[in-house]
Amino acid sequence: MHVVPVVSRIGRRLIVGGTAASLALLSPLPTAAHGHEERPRGEDRLVVTVRGAGGGADGTYEVSCRPSGGSHPDPGGACAAVERNTRWGKDAFAPVPRDAMCTMRYGGPATARVTGTWAGRPVDATFDRRDGCAIARWDRFVPLLPDASAAAPPAS
């Protein structure tokens, strides 16, 4: 068997050598500019359940991306919010690290659970607004999650 070297691009790195099969294993999802990953067309489908947000935002919504659709009030914006938070090699929905230093600011009683599939991976994430870190994490996903800052109690 004759092995032919292959030249391929993984992210910003040029890889020379190996076989097409080995490069396929190394690079299942190429990285695009700005650290966002480009994925093959597929089913990115999420179910968002919101409680305690007020303002008519509570409920369960479905959102699908590529193309965007579903019962979510803003499916295009919801998909864009998740895409903004997607980075190669990182879980877009990862919880706040346990050792994070967070302000003790309470953002209100809103909670959310997001389940489904994103970038071919299962998603089961919970969100709340119990402190500054959790509020910032929630706000990064607006409008997938409703803008709960208006419903939050004033700072004391």
Side-chain angles (χ1 to χ4, degrees):
M1 178 173 142
H2 181 64
V3 176
V4 178
V6 177
V7 176
S8 180
R9 184 173 298 279
I10 298 178
R12 293 183 180 166
R13 291 182 280 175
L14 189 62
I15 305 296
V16 179
T19 64
S22 66
L23 287 173
L25 290 173
L26 288 174
S27 181
L29 300 172
T31 303
H34 309 295
H36 296 283
E37 58 185 64
E38 290 179 8
R39 292 177 304 284
R41 284 195 161 308
E43 288 292 317
D44 289 329
R45 192 176 296 251
L46 301 170
V47 175
V48 182
T49 302
V50 179
R51 301 282 180 253
D58 290 0
T60 299
Y61 308 98
E62 293 182 14
V63 62
S64 59
C65 303
R66 300 175 193 272
S68 58
S71 62
H72 191 281
D74 182 5
C79 293
V82 180
E83 190 67 40
R84 273 194 315 269
N85 287 283
T86 301
R87 300 286 184 272
W88 176 255
K90 305 232 184 235
D91 178 2
F93 296 93
V96 174
R98 289 187 185 273
D99 62 349
M101 299 281 290
C102 306
T103 61
M104 296 308 297
R105 188 175 127 218
Y106 179 64
T111 61
R113 183 172 182 199
V114 179
T115 58
T117 304
W118 181 258
R121 294 188 175 114
V123 174
D124 189 352
T126 57
F127 292 81
D128 60 40
R129 298 178 61 82
R130 72 179 173 272
D131 60 33
C133 294
I135 293 168
R137 179 175 173 248
W138 179 295
D139 289 349
R140 281 195 311 270
F141 283 93
V142 170
L144 174 70
L145 303 178
D147 184 356
S149 60
S156 23

